[in-house]
Amino acid sequence: MTTNASDASAAAALEVAFHPKSIAVAGVSPGRTGWGGGLMFYRSAAHFGRVERAYAINPKGGELADGSPIYTSLAEIPGDVDLVISAVPASAILGLIDDAVAKGVKVIHSFTAGFAETGDEDRVELEAQMLAKLRAGGIRLIGPNCMGIHSPIAGVSWMDESSTEVGRVALASQSGMHASEIVRLGEQRAVRFSYAVSYGNASDLNESDYLDYFADNDETDVVLAYLEGVKDGPRFLRTARRLAAKKPLIVLKGGLTEAGSRAASSHTGSLAGSAQIWEAVRRQANFISVLNTDELLDAAITVQHLRALAGPRVAVVGGGGGTSVLAADACGRLGIPVPWLTEATQRTLGEHTPVAGTSVRNPVDSNITWNQDHFQESLATIAADSNIDWLLLHFGLDAGPGVGDPSERRQFEDRMVENIREASTTLSKPLAVAIRPPSSVSGMEADLRIKQELGAAGVAVYPSVEACALAVRRFLDWRAASD
Amino acid sequence: MTTNASDASAAAALEVAFHPKSIAVAGVSPGRTGWGGGLMFYRSAAHFGRVERAYAINPKGGELADGSPIYTSLAEIPGDVDLVISAVPASAILGLIDDAVAKGVKVIHSFTAGFAETGDEDRVELEAQMLAKLRAGGIRLIGPNCMGIHSPIAGVSWMDESSTEVGRVALASQSGMHASEIVRLGEQRAVRFSYAVSYGNASDLNESDYLDYFADNDETDVVLAYLEGVKDGPRFLRTARRLAAKKPLIVLKGGLTEAGSRAASSHTGSLAGSAQIWEAVRRQANFISVLNTDELLDAAITVQHLRALAGPRVAVVGGGGGTSVLAADACGRLGIPVPWLTEATQRTLGEHTPVAGTSVRNPVDSNITWNQDHFQESLATIAADSNIDWLLLHFGLDAGPGVGDPSERRQFEDRMVENIREASTTLSKPLAVAIRPPSSVSGMEADLRIKQELGAAGVAVYPSVEACALAVRRFLDWRAASD
């Protein structure tokens, strides 16, 4: 399709693709695990239980392990098919499109790779033939060379282990691996998705089609994107501006260095562009730009949970003097001031703080995170201080000497989670939490549990003070530019 | 003590402190866990089994859980005491020093905090009295407000869970929490220490005394430091220059922002100085400067295991197109070129690489990390390419769909570790490994095991491509400045 492809046609196709009542997975190999055999796409429908009919297709026929029939072709399927997911070999795609036209299918996702992105002449030609056939048949294409649709709303996905909860964050990712990782790690941090799409080569539907759809979609409040190339620069700028004026847009752009650009060309056949041009686009459209998938999720959590931030001045609260020094440095380097608290605040905090080896000035290196007895009143005292705009609580979950036995630790952690949840709803200023990455198995178990518990309660949780300070800095800059 | 304190006296005291035959822990509370009651220092001697005699002191006497006597005073101890570790209340320190003078002790470590770092007038005065008494009695002091000595060689430590293996990396850290974390996380990455010291307020022995000792110490090849303040700037510059001319010095400097500087003042009473001055010092002395404890360990691993690097040009090898794009961007942003491999190399690699959705150009997004069948020959082919100076292999350890059952995964991981170990000894160019931080319990288990196995074999392992690229960039800059 050309860049003049009708927006209305794209929106209609995506409306079907994100809400199919029936799906057919072509090229299912019952014996293969992973994604190669297409089975995962079929099984995800059962995992969510929301699609009315899911069909498997393989020219050899037979049946799946659960006894379901494997149809030999699209034609053989008795009912309508809204979305075809293709895991057939690249060489079989043209035949599948013929079948889809005959069946009245309006949108195909091609998981299959091996087209223009390889740079091979005959595969570039095959992609051109595929596109001509699709256009003639009135079918829109997601991909090729991608994971396709993840729609918790409709119950379609590339995996069968995802949360079935529906959220309000949408993702468009050119890379399948990044799409999977962002959804998986996002779910660990209680980010819940409305839709995600991995769209690979973007031979037909491209980044602007997906972003246009999310801009107008009432189920979506925040939009994330991983882009390698941009098919149509002027349209992308128009789309990004329109979207960013309605809801926060956060973009991870791959290929902004010479090395990365060459890699993007090999990966999805994209022309990636320069960092200077990209920064000009970012300023004009006013989206938040990030450098990796963790930062993408940090930004998503910030725009969701820290909207009430009135300014940058932070009270950094946690145990450990050296850790406090580096936390303050990390904030300072990013232009997040850590001003001393007023003397009145220090006096009040001092009532419950051992004098030796601690500080109540800011950073507050008190024993708040080790002794929960005065947690609420200490945080309330800090929040009331006119020198600060928000609070950042930081701690780690790995056991140290004398931390006690596992059940005592679990009790302590549960109490801390409850305390943080309560503080996040009662404090007069926003509260963020940084949990140091775990370095033990017990720490990992606690980290996964607590991120989920706090995130589900609407608490903004980050993997480090640096990560939080960077996300807040970007959020404040973005908001200032929005005014 | 003044800044003119004899270097020889400091060196002699540290020789004793790092190799005590006998230690006495004053202020042991048998009922307390953690560090507060001093018991951990006593127990560490038993853990290592290298100190000849360890004594516990408490004015109340009694005995420990293991039946050992608790002496009521230093005087009551029958034999000599080389190192006194003080966990007594700050108010009792003067009496302890009197006892130590009478006993002929030459060096004391004061774990106890609550001195000048509090900013309280009477506690500043107490610290001055303590120093006068020490000087009059000819005793040198480590601390106060610190964890003191960790010497696997002598079997003295602040913890009883450390590796008993002796290495060749020394650490001087003003912060106790950072000292503990650096040793603990370092050991997870197979970094082995000769000595570490946490020295807190540095009221007597200061950063230059410790660095001077490590400079002349034959057991130490690499020196790490976490500094907040510098007591004597000119001496520090002299010491750092002298040390850095003999062995790699890597420094994490806290308090280089206004906020961090104020925090350092509360933590260890330090005047931290500005980032501009610090950068001038770094250039003159030519050490490696880092921004957090992870980067400190990344740098330590780099100077130990990647000395053979001939240049910056890297081949980035791993699975996942989008991951490869961002890996290349991370290298590119840090001035680590990721040049295309020669056509001959690409052809050879192509023989074992599926064409669809992969690249053999560089980044090499082939299936090397997923299919180990052609691992050695593929890496050897890449290493032979004249366009690159080193190889960076990157992967993650979290299970994905279709990764198989745990025992199959373990087999795969074991084979990969064996392959990497073999490659690291046979390849014609240096090999580094980046393992993405785990995000699952099984991934954490594998991560802890594999970092240990690879690190022990002398393989440089990093938590991310970014971390590796940054460490290599700093290493190459440092080496260029050393020439």
Side-chain angles (χ1 to χ4, degrees), chain A residues 45-216:
Chain A
H47 166 69
F48 282 96
R50 289 167 190 168
V51 166
E52 288 176 13
R53 297 297 303 269
Y55 306 99
I57 303 173
N58 187 306
K60 294 178 193 154
E63 63 180 37
L64 296 170
D66 68 359
S68 309
I70 301 178
Y71 296 89
T72 58
S73 69
L74 257 178
E76 202 196 350
I77 291 174
D80 287 340
V81 171
D82 290 335
L83 172 66
V84 169
I85 299 170
S86 164
V88 302
S91 57
I93 193 85
L94 299 180
L96 180 66
I97 294 170
D98 287 337
D99 290 355
V101 172
K103 187 76 179 172
V105 170
K106 295 298 172 203
V107 59
I108 296 177
H109 153 223
S110 174
F111 167 71
T112 308
F115 294 93
E117 84 281 3
T118 60
D120 293 356
E121 215 172 283
D122 53 346
R123 286 165 182 271
V124 171
E125 171 57 26
L126 176 61
E127 183 163 320
Q129 289 175 14
M130 170 177 73
L131 287 172
K133 210 178 253 294
L134 286 164
R135 195 183 305 179
I139 297 178
R140 304 306 299 258
L141 178 74
I142 295 162
N145 181 21
C146 65
M147 306 303 291
I149 298 290
H150 172 73
S151 170
I153 289 177
V156 178
S157 180
W158 55 71
M159 57 186 160
D160 61 358
E161 290 175 345
S162 182
S163 169
T164 57
E165 278 180 53
V166 173
R168 302 194 59 82
V169 177
L171 165 69
S173 169
Q174 197 154 8
S175 154
M177 193 159 165
H178 285 323
S180 301
E181 185 178 293
I182 291 162
V183 171
R184 189 173 61 82
L185 297 184
E187 288 184 348
Q188 288 190 354
R189 299 176 69 178
V191 174
R192 295 285 178 264
F193 292 86
S194 49
Y195 314 98
V197 60
S198 145
Y199 64 85
N201 293 13
S203 308
D204 173 26
L205 295 169
N206 67 33
E207 59 287 339
S208 293
D209 293 311
Y210 300 108
L211 295 182
D212 262 331
Y213 182 82
F214 294 148
D216 294 328

Side-chain angles (χ1 to χ4, degrees), chain B residues 244 286 307 309-310 475-483:
Chain B
N286 194 33
R307 301 298 280 264
L309 269 182
F475 170 76
L476 292 172
D477 291 346
W478 165 80
R479 200 179 55 184
S482 310
D483 289 342

Side-chain angles (χ1 to χ4, degrees), chain A residues 40 177-178 184 188 228 254-257 260 262 266-267 320-323 325-326 329 338 340 359 361 401 438-439 444, chain B residues 40 177-178 184 188 228 254-257 260 262 266-267 320-323 325-326 329 338 340 359 361 401 438-439 444:
Chain A
M40 188 66 82
M177 193 159 165
H178 285 323
R184 189 173 61 82
Q188 288 190 354
E228 290 184 359
L256 289 180
T257 65
R262 278 200 310 266
S266 298
H267 179 216
T323 306
V325 172
L326 294 187
D329 275 338
V338 189
W340 273 8
S359 170
R361 288 167 183 160
S439 58
M444 176 60 82
Chain B
M40 189 65 81
M177 192 157 165
H178 285 321
R184 188 173 61 81
Q188 288 190 353
E228 289 182 0
L256 289 180
T257 65
R262 279 200 309 267
S266 298
H267 179 216
T323 306
V325 172
L326 294 187
D329 275 338
V338 190
W340 273 7
S359 170
R361 288 169 185 159
S439 57
M444 175 60 81

Side-chain angles (χ1 to χ4, degrees), chain B residues 352 367-368 370-378 412 415 419:
Chain B
H352 303 303
N367 57 347
I368 287 179
W370 295 329
N371 175 347
Q372 299 275 306
D373 291 344
H374 304 286
F375 190 93
Q376 300 299 340
E377 59 194 280
S378 295
F412 175 83
R415 190 171 169 205
N419 264 330

Side-chain angles (χ1 to χ4, degrees), chain B residues 199-286:
Chain B
Y199 63 87
N201 293 14
S203 308
D204 173 25
L205 294 170
N206 68 32
E207 60 287 340
S208 293
D209 293 311
Y210 299 108
L211 296 182
D212 262 330
Y213 182 82
F214 295 148
D216 295 328
N217 176 261
D218 289 338
E219 313 297 323
T220 297
D221 290 338
V222 175
V223 180
L224 316 182
Y226 169 73
L227 309 178
E228 289 182 0
V230 167
K231 291 280 174 175
D232 176 348
R235 182 178 166 207
F236 175 76
L237 180 55
R238 282 198 309 277
T239 299
R241 286 179 87 140
R242 189 172 79 83
L243 194 165
K246 297 175 82 170
K247 45 191 96 173
L249 171 62
I250 304 158
V251 185
L252 169 56
K253 178 70 175 67
L256 289 180
T257 65
E258 194 195 327
S261 174
R262 279 200 309 267
S265 149
S266 298
H267 179 216
T268 52
S270 298
L271 293 171
S274 80
Q276 288 73 18
I277 292 172
W278 186 248
E279 176 58 15
V281 169
R282 189 198 65 74
R283 279 171 193 268
Q284 284 186 60
N286 194 33

Side-chain angles (χ1 to χ4, degrees), chain B residues 80-233:
Chain B
D80 287 342
V81 171
D82 290 336
L83 172 66
V84 169
I85 298 170
S86 165
V88 302
S91 58
I93 192 87
L94 299 180
L96 179 66
I97 295 171
D98 287 336
D99 291 355
V101 172
K103 187 75 180 174
V105 171
K106 296 298 174 202
V107 59
I108 296 178
H109 153 223
S110 174
F111 167 72
T112 309
F115 294 94
E117 83 280 3
T118 61
D120 293 356
E121 215 172 281
D122 53 347
R123 287 166 180 271
V124 172
E125 172 58 24
L126 176 63
E127 181 162 322
Q129 288 175 17
M130 171 177 72
L131 286 173
K133 211 179 251 299
L134 287 165
R135 194 181 310 177
I139 297 179
R140 303 305 300 258
L141 178 73
I142 295 161
N145 181 21
C146 66
M147 307 303 293
I149 299 289
H150 172 73
S151 170
I153 289 176
V156 178
S157 181
W158 56 71
M159 59 185 159
D160 62 358
E161 290 176 346
S162 181
S163 169
T164 57
E165 277 180 55
V166 173
R168 303 192 61 83
V169 177
L171 165 69
S173 169
Q174 196 153 9
S175 153
M177 192 157 165
H178 285 321
S180 301
E181 184 178 294
I182 291 161
V183 172
R184 188 173 61 81
L185 297 184
E187 288 183 347
Q188 288 190 353
R189 299 175 69 178
V191 174
R192 295 283 178 262
F193 292 86
S194 49
Y195 315 99
V197 60
S198 144
Y199 63 87
N201 293 14
S203 308
D204 173 25
L205 294 170
N206 68 32
E207 60 287 340
S208 293
D209 293 311
Y210 299 108
L211 296 182
D212 262 330
Y213 182 82
F214 295 148
D216 295 328
N217 176 261
D218 289 338
E219 313 297 323
T220 297
D221 290 338
V222 175
V223 180
L224 316 182
Y226 169 73
L227 309 178
E228 289 182 0
V230 167
K231 291 280 174 175
D232 176 348

